[in-house]
Amino acid sequence: MATPAPFLSARGKLVLLALPMLLFMLLFFFIPVGSLLVRAVQDPELGAIAPNLQRELRAWDGQGTPPDSVVLALRDDLAAAQKDRRAAIVAKRAAEADPKLRPAIMDAAKASLADPQLSVQAVLNLDPVWRDAACWTRLRDVFAPFTDRYLLSALDLKRDRDTQEIVKVAPDQAIFLATLQRTLGVSLAVTLICLLLAYPLAYVVVRQGPVMQALMLTFVMLPFWTSILVRSAAWLVLLQTHGVVNETLMSLSIISEPLKLVYSRSGTILAMVHIQLPFTFLPIYSVMKSVPDSYVRAAQSLGAKPFYAFRRIYLPQTLPGVAAGCLLTFILCLGYYITPALLGGPADQLLSYYVAYYLNQEVNWSMASAVALMLLVVTLVIYTIYARFVPVLRQVEG
Amino acid sequence: MTEAFVSLRGVSKSYDGLVRVVEQLDLDIRQKEFLTLLGPSGSGKTTILTMLAGFETPSSGEIYMSGKPISHVPPHGRNIGVVFQNYALFPHLTVAQNVGFPLEVRGVAQSEREKRVRDMLEMVGLSQHVARYPAQLSGGQQQRVALARALVFHPDLVLMDEPLGALDNALRKRMQIEIKALQRRLGVTVVFVTHDQGEALVMSDRVAVFDKGRIQQIAPPQEIYARPSNAFVAEFIGETSWFLGEVSAIEGEECVVDTPAGKIRARAASPLQQGALVRVAVRPEDINLVGPDTPATVRGVLEDTTYLGDHLMLTLRTAIGTAVSVKAPKPGQSNPLRVGEEFGLSWEAHHAVAFAEER
Amino acid sequence: MLWLLRKSDRQVSALCGDLSLNFMELIQHQKGFKVSRKLSVSATISLSLLTATAAVANEITITSWGGTYQDGQRVTYFEPFTAKTGTKVVEETYSGELAKIKAQVDSGDVTWDVVDVDSNMIATGCDEGLFETLDYSRILDRSKFIDGAATDCAVGTIVVTTVTAYDKTVFAEGPKTVNDFFDLQKFPGKRGLWKRPYVNLEWALIADGVAIGDVYKQLSTPEGVDRAFAKLDTIKDQLVWWEAGAQPAQLLADKEVAITSAWSGRIQTAISKENKPFAVVWDAQALDFNFWAIPRGAKKLDDSYAFIAFASDASVMSKQSLVSAYGPTNKDALALIAPDVVETLPTAESHMTNPLVYDAKFWGQNGEELTKRFNNWLAK
C-alpha cells in the first residue's frame, strides 16, 4: 500500500513557518534599505518634476548648443514646476553642478510661468547661462539617470566642473571622512571600555546566588528603562563643572581644578558607555552562564595555576559572548548622534548626525542615503570580519 | 602493614556550619590500591573527593599525602589527576591538546609532550582521533580522553567521580574492566566514587561504604559482601531478606533468634545479649528451596518468579507476611515451580547474620 | 548547536539594531508613516463610533513642537478655536523634521492640516514646494503683520529672537552689546553658543565692525566668511556649545558659562517663573519667526485657513504673550498687552533699536556649505 504523499514536504513546512519573518524582513528591511541604496545614486525627484526636460536632455548628445526641443522642454517643465513651487528643487540640484544655474533656472521658471509661449530665443536671452554650451552640458549631467555625485561627496570627493576628474573637495568642506574616523574611534573606545567593565561584572554576577543575580541584573538593566532626557539631566548634575563628581573630588583634595567631564569627548564616551553597557554585558553574561565551573576546576587539578586556567580555558570559552557583545556595542555606537550632541564637546559630531541633518534640515535624501550607505558599508565590513573570526570558535559547543 | 600513602585524620566538612556532610573521618589510602567510596547520594563521598582534589578545604582535621599535610595546598600544587562526572573536556581544544594540557602546564617540551600524548592515547585506544574536538566524540571516547588526560602526567593519585554514570550498560561493563586493567598496568593509586555497588565490587581492591558522612565499613569486596559489619552495609550491598526477632539463646558466635516465622540460627555481627532485638539478614543465593514436607527454617508461599537468564529470582511470602528473595537455578522441564505453592526455606546458620536493632 | 542559533540570533539583532538607529528615520518617513497613520485612522474610527451621537464634527490636525510651547498654544489658540467654531483640534508633535512633511507631500497622503514651522524650514520647504501658497484674503491683510512675518508660504505667529544673556551675580555691570560678548578682557568667562552656524557668524561680523544691514552681503563672500570665523577664533577656547533650547538657561544656572546666546523666551521664563538672576542683552537680537504653514495637498483647506485667520487675530494673539515671552506678529496685538509684559518681549520698542533680521533664505541657500565649514572649524 502506497503511503499518501504528505500535503507539504518537511522542507515546505519549514519555509511556511519562516514566511512571516521573511515577509517582514522584505517589507521593513530589504525594501527600505534597497530604496536607500538606490537613492544614493539616483535622484528620482528631478525626473518626476521635469520629465520632458530629462527626456530631451538625455536624447541630446551633449555636444555644442542644444536643439530647440531641449529649450522648449525646459520652458514647459519649469513653468509647470513653478506653478507647484517646485522649480526651486531643480534649481537647487543644478546649483550643486554649477551655482550659476540656480538663479538662471529660477528666472526661467518665473518667466515661463508668466508667458507660456516664450520663444526659444527669448529663453536663451533670459540669462547668459543659457547661451553657454558648457552650462547646458552640466545641466544634462544633473539629469543623468544615475549619479556618483552623492557617493563622492560622502567621501569628500567631487568631480571637477570642467575636466570631470575626481578631485578632493576644499579642505574646509571635507567633513565626512574625518567624521567617519571619529565615529569609528569613539565607537571603539566605548566598546573597549564597555568590555573592560562588563567582563568582570558578568564574571561576578554569574557567581552569585539567584536572588543576588536577579538584583544585580536589574541594576545593569536600569539604563534601558530610563528615558534619554532623564539620563542626560542626571549626567549633567553629576558631571558638570560644579557637579557632584567634581565637587566631591575637590572637597577630598584629589583634584584642584574641576575636570572637564561634560561638553567634551569624555562626556560623550561616558554617556555612551552607560547606555551600551547592558548590550555588552548580556551576551557575555549568557555565555558565561553556560560555561560550567568544572572546566576551570579540571584545569587546576591538571596543574594549571588560576590565571593560566582562566586564560587558556575559561577566556576562550567566553569569547563568543565577548565577540557578540562587542560587535553589538560597536555597531550600535556607530548610530549615535543625540547623546554626543547633548553631552559632547565641539568636535564630537558623529556620522549619524549628518544623516539626520540631510534628512531634516537640507531635505536632501540622496545625500542622507549616501552618508548612511557609507555607515552601512563600514558596518558590513566589520560584520564580515566578525563572521570570519568567529567560526574559529565554532567547535566550542559543536 | 604498609605505610598509608594518603591519610585523612579527623576530617569534617560543613558548608553551612550546621550540617556536617563529612563527620570526623579517618581514612587511609594505600599506595597503588584501587579504593572505591560507595554510598547513596548525599553520603559525603563526593565531598571527600573534592577535599582530596583541593577544591574544598576541611572544616576541621587534616589530610596528609606521603606524610605531609596538604589541606592548604591549592589544587594545581597537588599532582592529582581528576576524572569528572561529565568529563569536563575542554571543548575548544582538540583531543591531543586536552590530553597534552597537564604536560603543557608543566612545561614539558613539545616533542616529549607529543610522544607521551600519543602513547597515552594509544593505551586508551584513541590514536585515530587526536585532531577531533570533544563534541565530535562518542560518550565512551570522551570518557577515554578524560582518563588519558588524568593519567598522562603520572599523577600520584587519580580521583574519579562517577566517571561511568553516563554510559550505557554494556559500555560501562567494558570500561570497568579497562580502567581496572589500566590502573594495574600503570600502578597508580585510584580513589573512585560511585553509588553503583556492582561497579564497586568489580573494580576495587577495597571498598569504603559511606552513609551520613561516616564510613560504615571498609574492606575488600568479598568481605564487604560476605561479612557486612552492619545492617546498612548488608542492605546496601547485594540483595537481602530480613527477619525481625529476639535473641533467645547465645551459642558462641552464633545465636538463636525467635521470629514470628520461626526460630532462626544466625551468626552475630557484634556481641549480643539474650533478649536483644535483632534483624537477621540472609542472601538470596544462600537459601535452599525444599519441598513442603521437608524440615526447613521457615516456610513460604511462592508469589512471583523473575526470569533472569541464567537463574530465577523467586519471591516468597511467609505466613506473617515477610517477603523473602531466593535465587534458584533454572528449573528443569519436569518440575516447574507454580505460583501459590508452598515451599520450605533453609540455609546454613553461618550464612545468616544477626544485627542488633535499637529498641 | 543551540549555541550557534543563539549566536546568529544575536548577530541579526545586532545588525537590525544598527539599521534601526541609522536608517529608521528613512524607513519611518517612507514606509512606517503610513502604518502609523492607518493605526491612527482606525483609532479615530473606533473613537468616532463611540461618540457617534456627536455626528460629523469637523476636526483638523495641527502639529507643533510639543512641550510648554505647545501647552501654551493649546490654551491660547486650540481650545478657543474649538469653542468658537466647533472644529476639533487634533494635536501632533514633532521636532521640526521637514522630512516628515516631505514624506506626506510626496505620497499625496497629507494628514497634517496646519504645522508650526521655523524660518529655516520655510526657506527650504517653500522652495521645495512642501507648503501651500497662501491666499491672504482668507487670513488677514499682509500689511497688518510686522516686516518679514507674512511670507508666501507661511504666516508668522510669534517673534522669536536669539539674544545674549548673562548672570547678574557674575557681572555687576553686565555686557550691553554683542561686541561685549566677544570681549574677553572686559567680561571674562566661558560663553555659550548654539552648536550651529546660524546667528553666530552674523554676530561675529557685527562684533568685527560690519554694519548690521551689510551682514548677509558680507557673509555671501568668501572673505566675509573667513572674517566671521577669524572673529570666532578669538573666543573659541572660551566657548561651550549648546544643542537644545533648554540648555542655555541651565548652563547659566549651573555657572557653566558667564554669558550665553539663547532664545529670548527661554531666558524670560527662567527670570519670571524661576526667579533666576539673569539679564537679557537686546543689542543686535536676531529677529526670527515661527510660522503657521499648510502642507501642500492638505485636505481641509477651509478649516486650515479658518484656524490661521483665528490665530492671527490681534486679540487672540495678544494672549500668547501672557503664556510665554514671545512677541506677537500682528502689529495691533502689542497695544493690547500690558506694558510690563511688553517690556519682556523682543518686539518692545526699546528692544528694537538695532535688530538683526535673520535671513532664512540666505541660510537655505548657503546652509550646507557653511555648516560643513562650521563643523570643520569646531573639530579643529
Side-chain angles (χ1 to χ4, degrees):
Chain A
M1 199 180 84
T3 2
F7 174 62
L8 271 174
S9 67
R11 203 185 161 76
K13 277 179 197 156
L14 283 179
V15 170
L16 211 62
L17 280 172
L19 204 59
M21 182 61 199
L22 289 177
L23 274 177
F24 180 83
M25 290 288 284
L26 186 72
L27 271 176
F28 291 97
F29 186 78
F30 291 112
I31 290 178
V33 169
S35 73
L36 166 104
L37 302 188
V38 173
R39 277 267 186 179
V41 293
Q42 187 191 35
D43 195 337
E45 256 175 317
L46 289 178
I49 296 169
N52 302 314
L53 179 59
Q54 183 175 46
R55 194 184 57 244
E56 292 300 329
L57 276 172
R58 297 319 298 174
W60 170 48
D61 63 1
Q63 300 298 313
T65 48
D68 289 357
S69 60
V70 174
V71 182
L72 291 175
L74 175 88
R75 181 194 71 188
D76 296 344
D77 278 359
L78 284 184
Q82 180 63 12
K83 216 170 160 187
D84 279 348
R85 307 196 64 98
R86 299 172 79 193
I89 299 179
V90 182
K92 192 173 175 183
R93 295 289 182 275
E96 286 164 18
D98 187 341
K100 289 203 298 284
L101 280 169
R102 189 204 291 260
I105 287 174
M106 288 315 293
D107 288 346
K110 281 171 195 153
S112 309
L113 183 61
D115 178 7
Q117 298 306 316
L118 220 56
S119 71
V120 170
Q121 198 51 50
V123 173
L124 296 184
N125 283 340
L126 284 171
D127 197 297
V129 161
W130 305 123
R131 297 189 292 279
D132 181 354
C135 285
W136 282 98
T137 311
R138 273 172 219 143
L139 188 63
R140 183 177 182 271
D141 291 336
V142 171
F143 277 91
F146 293 98
T147 175
D148 56 10
R149 195 178 337 129
Y150 303 110
L151 290 179
L152 288 176
S153 184
L155 295 168
D156 294 336
L157 299 170
K158 64 175 182 185
R159 284 195 184 276
D160 185 272
R161 194 165 293 153
D162 299 314
T163 62
Q164 290 298 305
E165 275 170 35
I166 295 174
V167 293
K168 285 186 182 153
V169 298
D172 65 29
Q173 293 296 304
I175 192 95
F176 298 115
L177 289 183
T179 310
L180 176 67
Q181 196 184 349
R182 185 188 311 144
T183 307
L184 293 174
V186 168
S187 302
L188 192 68
V190 171
T191 306
L192 287 179
I193 296 174
C194 277
L195 177 63
L196 286 179
L197 293 175
Y199 196 92
L201 181 65
Y203 189 87
V204 170
V205 173
V206 164
R207 273 153 191 76
Q208 304 302 315
V211 175
M212 194 62 186
Q213 221 172 84
L215 198 71
M216 291 175 93
L217 275 181
T218 309
F219 276 110
V220 174
M221 305 305 274
L222 223 51
F224 268 152
W225 304 331
T226 28
S227 82
I228 178 88
L229 287 174
V230 172
R231 266 182 299 187
S232 301
W235 285 320
L236 281 179
V237 169
L238 278 178
L239 304 176
Q240 61 195 356
T241 313
H242 304 287
V244 176
V245 172
N246 271 323
E247 294 290 319
T248 310
L249 289 179
M250 279 168 68
S251 69
L252 295 174
S253 303
I254 293 169
I255 51 172
S256 54
E257 289 269 303
L259 297 173
K260 198 157 172 50
L261 295 173
V262 80
Y263 308 119
S264 65
R265 178 66 52 84
S266 49
T268 307
I269 290 178
L270 220 66
M272 285 171 74
V273 164
H274 187 214
I275 306 172
Q276 284 305 126
L277 195 58
F279 291 97
T280 323
F281 170 83
L282 286 175
I284 295 176
Y285 169 75
S286 78
V287 168
M288 275 188 183
K289 244 180 125 72
S290 69
V291 178
D293 270 350
S294 57
Y295 292 125
V296 171
R297 285 184 163 205
Q300 290 187 16
S301 76
L302 293 168
K305 294 199 173 98
F307 182 71
Y308 190 86
F310 171 81
R311 190 173 64 78
R312 183 95 166 93
I313 302 303
Y314 193 76
L315 186 67
Q317 291 190 64
T318 55
L319 276 186
V322 170
C326 287
L327 182 78
L328 193 61
T329 298
F330 188 83
I331 288 178
L332 286 175
C333 282
L334 293 179
Y336 271 71
Y337 72 92
I338 297 172
T339 307
L342 283 175
L343 297 161
D348 282 345
Q349 248 135 13
L350 302 189
L351 206 54
S352 301
Y353 168 85
Y354 289 98
V355 179
Y357 173 77
Y358 279 108
L359 217 48
N360 289 319
Q361 202 94 32
E362 289 291 324
V363 207
N364 185 343
W365 288 7
S366 290
M367 198 57 222
S369 296
V371 176
L373 182 64
M374 180 155 78
L375 211 48
L376 177 65
V377 168
V378 170
T379 307
L380 288 178
V381 167
I382 291 164
Y383 182 75
T384 312
I385 295 169
Y386 169 80
R388 280 278 160 87
F389 164 65
V390 165
V392 179
L393 306 161
R394 194 165 288 168
Q395 273 85 6
V396 170
E397 288 181 35
Chain B
M1 169 142 182
T2 49
E3 172 79 356
F5 171 48
V6 179
S7 320
L8 288 81
R9 287 289 169 263
V11 169
S12 295
K13 178 69 188 175
S14 171
Y15 291 102
D16 54 5
L18 296 169
V19 181
R20 288 196 179 177
V21 189
V22 174
E23 186 96 65
Q24 283 295 323
L25 184 80
D26 292 321
L27 173 66
D28 287 331
I29 302 165
R30 298 171 192 154
Q31 192 90 43
K32 297 188 181 181
E33 83 166 329
F34 195 115
L35 173 71
T36 296
L37 311 185
L38 175 68
S41 54
S43 59
K45 57 192 191 309
T46 299
T47 305
I48 294 163
L49 207 71
T50 55
M51 286 192 287
L52 281 171
F55 303 136
E56 302 282 357
T57 40
S59 305
S60 62
E62 185 58 69
I63 301 172
Y64 300 90
M65 199 165 180
S66 307
K68 284 187 219 92
I70 57 161
S71 283
H72 294 282
V73 177
H76 58 84
R78 295 194 178 190
N79 206 33
I80 291 175
V82 183
V83 178
F84 289 82
Q85 200 166 1
N86 56 5
Y87 317 138
L89 297 179
F90 307 135
H92 59 299
L93 301 183
T94 62
V95 166
Q97 286 169 327
N98 260 286
V99 176
F101 183 82
L103 302 177
E104 172 191 319
V105 170
R106 285 167 174 77
V108 175
Q110 177 92 21
S111 55
E112 163 78 3
R113 201 195 314 169
E114 278 170 14
K115 185 184 169 303
R116 277 167 70 179
V117 168
R118 210 166 41 238
D119 291 351
M120 198 66 227
L121 283 173
E122 204 164 308
M123 213 178 283
V124 297
L126 275 179
S127 316
Q128 267 80 60
H129 302 306
V130 283
R132 298 249 179 117
Y133 286 91
Q136 297 167 307
L137 301 178
S138 71
Q141 288 168 331
Q142 291 184 17
Q143 169 64 68
R144 286 162 213 256
V145 176
L147 210 55
R149 192 178 65 176
L151 291 170
V152 70
F153 60 101
H154 307 314
D156 300 323
L157 178 65
V158 176
L159 309 176
M160 302 190 187
D161 185 9
E162 310 236 8
L164 306 177
L167 305 181
D168 65 62
N169 202 32
L171 192 55
R172 190 158 64 226
K173 291 261 154 59
R174 212 170 74 215
M175 288 305 296
Q176 285 170 7
I177 293 159
E178 277 186 34
I179 291 175
K180 180 70 188 162
L182 209 57
Q183 182 257 338
R184 283 232 182 83
R185 190 163 147 201
L186 296 173
V188 65
T189 313
V190 170
V191 176
F192 189 97
V193 162
T194 184
H195 63 272
D196 181 332
Q197 40 140 327
E199 206 161 270
L201 297 180
V202 169
M203 300 176 80
S204 318
D205 295 322
R206 286 196 303 161
V207 177
V209 182
F210 274 80
D211 187 42
K212 300 193 177 88
R214 292 174 187 275
I215 294 182
Q216 304 296 322
Q217 184 173 10
I218 178 161
Q222 305 83 331
E223 196 182 326
I224 290 273
Y225 189 84
R227 304 180 68 84
S229 62
N230 63 29
F232 175 81
V233 177
E235 171 91 67
F236 194 73
I237 310 269
E239 228 174 310
T240 316
S241 300
W242 294 98
F243 299 92
L244 194 67
E246 206 171 89
V247 177
S248 59
I250 294 174
E251 299 168 7
E253 285 220 327
E254 286 187 2
C255 59
V256 179
V257 181
D258 275 357
T259 79
K263 280 195 191 310
I264 295 174
R265 296 182 75 83
R267 178 172 60 80
S270 53
L272 291 170
Q273 299 286 318
Q274 198 161 347
L277 187 67
V278 294
R279 288 207 295 158
V280 179
V282 191
R283 300 275 190 207
E285 67 271 22
D286 293 332
I287 302 176
N288 296 312
L289 212 58
V290 295
D293 306 325
T294 322
T297 316
V298 295
R299 297 188 179 278
V301 174
L302 182 62
E303 200 173 76
D304 190 28
T305 64
T306 310
Y307 178 66
L308 290 167
D310 60 335
H311 66 276
L312 288 175
M313 190 59 84
L314 312 177
T315 308
L316 293 98
R317 203 165 288 278
T318 63
I320 58 138
T322 312
V324 183
S325 296
V326 178
K327 186 179 170 184
K330 275 194 288 185
Q333 296 285 0
S334 49
N335 56 339
L337 296 165
R338 284 198 205 87
V339 171
E341 236 177 307
E342 199 190 70
F343 292 95
L345 303 168
S346 70
W347 56 81
E348 292 184 33
H350 70 270
H351 281 142
V353 191
F355 299 102
E357 186 80 351
E358 299 273 317
R359 243 191 221 275
Chain C
M1 279 322 287
L2 252 183
W3 174 75
L4 266 186
L5 279 178
R6 247 192 293 133
K7 186 158 64 68
S8 61
D9 178 38
R10 256 180 245 136
Q11 290 165 351
V12 168
S13 60
L15 201 63
C16 288
D18 156 59
L19 286 160
S20 68
L21 270 183
N22 298 334
F23 311 123
M24 227 16 224
E25 317 238 351
L26 267 187
I27 297 165
Q28 253 172 27
H29 300 319
Q30 291 185 324
K31 310 283 171 201
F33 204 79
K34 284 177 193 162
V35 175
S36 75
R37 202 217 150 206
K38 273 180 200 127
L39 282 176
S40 71
V41 166
S42 65
T44 315
I45 289 170
S46 52
L47 261 182
S48 57
L49 281 177
L50 282 174
T51 56
T53 46
V56 225
N58 268 351
E59 60 174 43
I60 55 170
T61 303
I62 302 180
T63 302
S64 187
W65 303 71
T68 51
Y69 178 60
Q70 193 161 335
D71 294 343
Q73 287 181 325
R74 189 173 309 121
V75 179
T76 318
Y77 302 117
F78 305 158
E79 286 169 358
F81 177 67
T82 305
K84 189 182 169 201
T85 63
T87 304
K88 279 195 195 121
V89 173
V90 177
E91 289 183 48
E92 294 223 19
T93 300
Y94 79 143
S95 305
E97 299 96 340
L98 260 187
K100 288 190 177 170
I101 298 171
K102 186 175 167 65
Q104 296 186 30
V105 172
D106 283 359
S107 67
D109 196 4
V110 181
T111 56
W112 293 353
D113 297 302
V114 177
V115 190
D116 186 313
V117 293
D118 70 19
S119 56
N120 279 359
M121 294 168 67
I122 286 299
T124 312
C126 201
D127 276 355
E128 301 247 339
L130 295 182
F131 300 109
E132 292 283 341
T133 307
L134 294 178
D135 175 2
Y136 275 85
S137 70
R138 303 177 70 176
I139 303 169
L140 190 67
D141 195 81
R142 280 181 107 134
S143 65
K144 292 283 182 190
F145 292 92
I146 63 174
D147 282 352
T151 74
D152 289 354
C153 295
V155 183
T157 167
I158 51 165
V159 178
V160 286
T161 65
T162 309
V163 295
T164 51
Y166 63 93
D167 186 337
K168 284 192 284 192
T169 61
V170 175
F171 302 117
E173 195 61 31
K176 298 274 182 296
T177 64
V178 160
N179 297 26
D180 292 342
F181 186 90
F182 286 82
D183 192 335
L184 293 175
Q185 250 80 52
K186 247 162 85 187
F187 301 100
K190 295 270 183 193
R191 278 119 166 92
L193 280 179
W194 193 18
K195 208 190 283 180
R196 298 283 187 283
Y198 323 127
V199 180
N200 296 339
L201 296 184
E202 287 95 316
W203 277 353
L205 283 182
I206 295 168
D208 204 38
V210 175
I212 281 189
D214 292 337
V215 163
Y216 287 103
K217 209 160 72 190
Q218 276 282 319
L219 264 190
S220 303
T221 64
E223 297 77 30
V225 175
D226 289 345
R227 191 172 162 187
F229 279 108
K231 185 69 182 175
L232 282 172
D233 270 332
T234 62
I235 57 168
K236 190 176 181 185
D237 58 349
Q238 291 298 312
L239 287 172
V240 171
W241 298 95
W242 53 269
E243 177 74 19
Q247 275 178 300
Q250 193 62 42
L251 288 171
L252 277 181
D254 295 339
K255 307 251 191 264
E256 286 283 335
V257 297
I259 321 175
T260 182
S261 72
W263 297 331
S264 62
R266 306 277 189 160
I267 294 296
Q268 287 298 351
T269 307
I271 295 171
S272 57
K273 304 242 159 78
E274 295 161 34
N275 294 317
K276 296 285 186 196
F278 302 158
V280 173
V281 179
W282 295 99
D283 177 60
Q285 60 164 323
L287 274 185
D288 195 4
F289 302 95
N290 264 34
F291 300 90
W292 298 117
I294 307 173
R296 192 160 61 86
K299 308 225 163 43
K300 298 167 184 164
L301 274 184
D302 289 342
D303 293 319
S304 299
Y305 270 114
F307 174 77
I308 294 176
F310 176 80
S312 302
D313 181 78
S315 68
V316 174
M317 198 184 270
S318 66
K319 292 179 186 110
Q320 159 92 45
S321 305
L322 298 174
V323 184
S324 47
Y326 296 112
T329 53
N330 187 323
K331 286 176 185 167
D332 299 339
L334 211 54
L336 304 172
I337 302 171
D340 60 321
V341 177
V342 168
E343 237 353 82
T344 67
L345 302 182
T347 41
E349 215 174 316
S350 59
H351 302 157
M352 293 290 277
T353 49
N354 64 335
L356 166 77
V357 180
Y358 179 77
D359 189 346
K361 208 165 187 75
F362 169 85
W363 283 107
Q365 290 186 3
N366 302 289
E368 182 179 355
E369 200 180 320
L370 288 176
T371 298
K372 277 187 182 175
R373 174 150 180 191
F374 179 75
N375 287 337
N376 255 330
W377 175 81
L378 278 180
K380 266 176 206 120

